Amino acid sequence: MKKGKNLADLLDSNRSEVLYYLMDHSGCSRTDLGAATGLTLASITKIIHSLLDAGIIYETDFIEGKKGRRSIGLSFCYDKFKVLAVNLFWNRLEMQACDFHGNFYGELVSIPFLYISNRNIEEVVETAGRYIQDFCRIYPDIVSIGVSVPGPYFRNTGCIMVPPFEKDPAKRSYYPLKEKLSQFTHLPIFLEHDADTGALAYWWFRTDRSPDLVIMNFLTDTGVGVGLTDGRNIYAGSSSCSSESGHITVDYHGRPCPYCGSNGCLNAYCSGRALEEIAAEQLSLHSESILNNIPTITYQAIIQASKEGDSFATELLTECGRTLGHGILSLLHVFHPDLILISGAISKAGTTLLHSMQKSLRERQSSYTTIPEIRLLSDERNLSLLGAAAFAMEQMLQFPTRYFSLPVNNQTLPAS
């Protein structure tokens, strides 16, 4: 792989550094920028002119500098640009416009469907495409589209694997999601694994953006996904496919997983679908449970029943937390996060889930692991949707020349 950089690459990299600094230091001076980035004043001046002309940044009031000298401050135009955040779950599609502050605009579009498969994926994507076009008409300042997708996601092709899953690679169904969505818009589209985008969103909008902060996000919803970020960098697992740590084995002789086809993985116990199946299998042994009065048992109903004091529902969530603790402990032997997030619908189980998980970690902690802070995001708005926006913003800031249509040698690169 070639790693050399030409002048256009260096210009893009320098512009990116300037924008990142301005994102975190609103109102700073040109001198501050030079000191922070190591760029010469001449280079800073050229970059600032191009960013001002494009309306990406703006000049603020005079600020006091060293030795009492006054300088014109510079700030990023957070409100000028929007991205369209798209979140594709296994059983629903969500969309909303978002600015670079992480503020959402308009009503959240949430479209449920039975379950995504190779039989309905075309219909789901066509629906997404129509809403993309609608959003872009309503908000003409949308400059890109970020999409959070369930794994496995293949970065090199823009494809997702859709059910029914096959162990034989030759029989697997790969859907070209990025290519299909691109038929509905000229805007750049950025896809990434949902658990990873959730971790990135938390780093962007819920922390002080320390470049060394490592965050691991357990997205516990219909399925279980695990994402890992080191500062703004997503740990991809490989350059071609998303990491599938949600399918690590916690019981070799355990329940079959309908997703990966193996037995005893984390997803087979801690996903919403698994909770529903386990509840249905064991309900006949618990005639006292209020879940017997519900025609269709959902994981949302299980969580609500537990909050109402149902001992069977609480037992299910306690076991879910215990198993989740096993999975976390296994990964702590490989990764060393500073912060662990528990996000998604199952996190709404609250302290029942959290206390069981922490108890499991304490009882089985090895001499080689340190248990970091764990935050249960039961009240957090859909983190994967915000993550879709954060990932699109991150890509634009990494490559501003192309995605903000800035000139290179008096020419402007097409955004693609």
Side-chain angles (χ1 to χ4, degrees):
M1 179 180 176
K2 298 178 180 179
K3 295 184 179 179
K5 289 187 177 182
N6 56 36
L7 289 176
D9 294 329
L10 289 172
L11 174 61
D12 202 37
S13 178
N14 290 339
R15 283 170 167 166
S16 179
E17 287 295 320
V18 168
L19 285 174
Y20 276 128
Y21 189 79
L22 288 175
M23 292 283 285
D24 292 328
H25 301 86
S26 182
C28 74
S29 68
R30 289 164 172 79
T31 303
D32 294 333
L33 274 172
T37 61
L39 297 172
T40 65
L41 185 57
S43 296
I44 289 289
T45 299
K46 290 180 181 178
I47 291 172
I48 293 303
H49 280 168
S50 66
L51 298 178
L52 286 170
D53 289 344
I56 302 172
I57 65 174
Y58 65 97
E59 294 181 328
T60 62
D61 294 334
F62 281 98
I63 59 174
E64 291 294 332
K66 293 181 179 179
K67 299 181 181 180
R69 294 173 182 170
R70 302 179 72 202
S71 302
I72 296 176
L74 298 165
S75 292
F76 183 82
C77 291
Y78 278 98
D79 302 329
K80 179 172 181 178
F81 306 100
K82 294 184 180 66
V83 300
L84 178 59
V86 180
N87 193 17
L88 179 62
F89 281 100
W90 286 119
N91 62 353
R92 66 188 184 278
L93 174 70
E94 297 180 342
M95 289 190 196
Q96 202 163 11
C98 181
D99 66 21
F100 275 68
H101 263 309
N103 299 316
F104 284 104
Y105 291 78
E107 292 186 8
L108 169 69
V109 169
S110 183
I111 304 169
F113 43 85
L114 184 59
Y115 196 70
I116 198 169
S117 70
N118 58 15
R119 294 179 294 276
N120 66 358
I121 184 68
E122 286 287 351
E123 181 182 354
V124 170
V125 171
E126 287 178 7
T127 300
R130 290 195 298 271
Y131 275 99
I132 286 173
Q133 293 174 337
D134 290 343
F135 267 102
C136 290
R137 280 193 294 268
I138 297 170
Y139 300 103
D141 50 352
I142 290 176
V143 290
S144 68
I145 299 167
V147 187
S148 292
V149 297
Y153 164 60
F154 300 86
R155 297 181 179 89
N156 56 344
T157 61
C159 294
I160 60 172
M161 193 186 298
V162 293
F165 296 123
E166 296 283 351
K167 287 188 176 182
D168 183 354
K171 297 180 180 179
R172 291 173 183 166
S173 178
Y174 300 93
Y175 186 79
L177 182 60
K178 184 173 183 179
E179 175 187 331
K180 294 289 188 177
L181 288 176
S182 296
Q183 297 174 3
F184 295 92
T185 179
H186 67 282
L187 295 176
I189 299 176
F190 306 105
L191 275 69
E192 187 49 85
H193 184 227
D194 50 13
D196 288 302
T197 64
L200 181 65
Y202 200 87
W203 180 86
W204 257 106
F205 300 113
R206 302 291 185 267
T207 73
D208 61 0
R209 298 184 195 168
S210 168
D212 301 320
L213 181 64
V214 179
I215 298 177
M216 181 177 284
N217 176 36
F218 284 77
L219 174 58
T220 55
D221 211 274
T222 308
V224 176
V226 183
L228 186 70
T229 55
D230 182 357
R232 60 170 50 92
N233 302 307
I234 288 175
Y235 175 77
S238 79
S239 59
S240 59
C241 182
S242 61
S243 172
E244 289 302 313
S245 300
H247 293 278
I248 60 171
T249 301
V250 291
D251 182 353
Y252 290 105
H253 304 290
R255 298 174 53 79
C257 173
Y259 295 84
C260 70
S262 186
N263 287 75
C265 73
L266 195 62
N267 189 84
Y269 290 94
C270 301
S271 66
R273 186 174 182 181
L275 271 177
E276 293 166 358
E277 291 176 352
I278 294 170
E281 292 166 5
Q282 300 180 6
L283 187 59
S284 62
L285 302 175
H286 299 272
S287 58
E288 79 290 349
S289 174
I290 61 177
L291 294 175
N292 286 287
N293 303 323
I294 300 174
T296 303
I297 298 177
T298 63
Y299 60 86
Q300 295 95 332
I302 295 170
I303 292 172
Q304 182 58 38
S306 175
K307 292 179 179 179
E308 293 176 12
D310 188 283
S311 59
F312 174 52
T314 299
E315 179 184 323
L316 289 170
L317 296 176
T318 299
E319 182 64 16
C320 177
R322 185 185 70 84
T323 308
L324 191 56
H326 291 175
I328 290 173
L329 196 58
S330 295
L331 290 173
L332 289 181
H333 286 89
V334 183
F335 306 106
H336 304 281
D338 302 300
L339 175 64
I340 290 178
L341 310 176
I342 310 298
S343 63
I346 304 302
S347 69
K348 297 187 182 303
T351 55
T352 298
L353 184 78
L354 181 62
H355 291 168
S356 176
M357 183 171 51
Q358 291 173 327
K359 182 172 184 282
S360 176
L361 284 166
R362 289 193 302 269
E363 292 176 347
R364 293 165 179 81
Q365 182 181 7
S366 76
S367 303
Y368 308 110
T369 58
T370 300
I371 300 174
E373 179 186 357
I374 300 175
R375 294 181 187 174
L376 194 70
L377 307 184
S378 55
D379 296 324
E380 178 70 48
R381 187 174 180 177
N382 190 335
L383 200 61
S384 295
L385 187 67
L386 186 59
F391 185 69
M393 295 171 194
E394 182 66 32
Q395 294 301 297
M396 294 189 70
L397 291 168
Q398 281 190 33
F399 306 101
T401 301
R402 179 171 299 278
Y403 295 121
F404 286 105
S405 301
L406 296 171
V408 177
N409 296 328
N410 297 321
Q411 292 184 346
T412 301
L413 294 178
S416 61

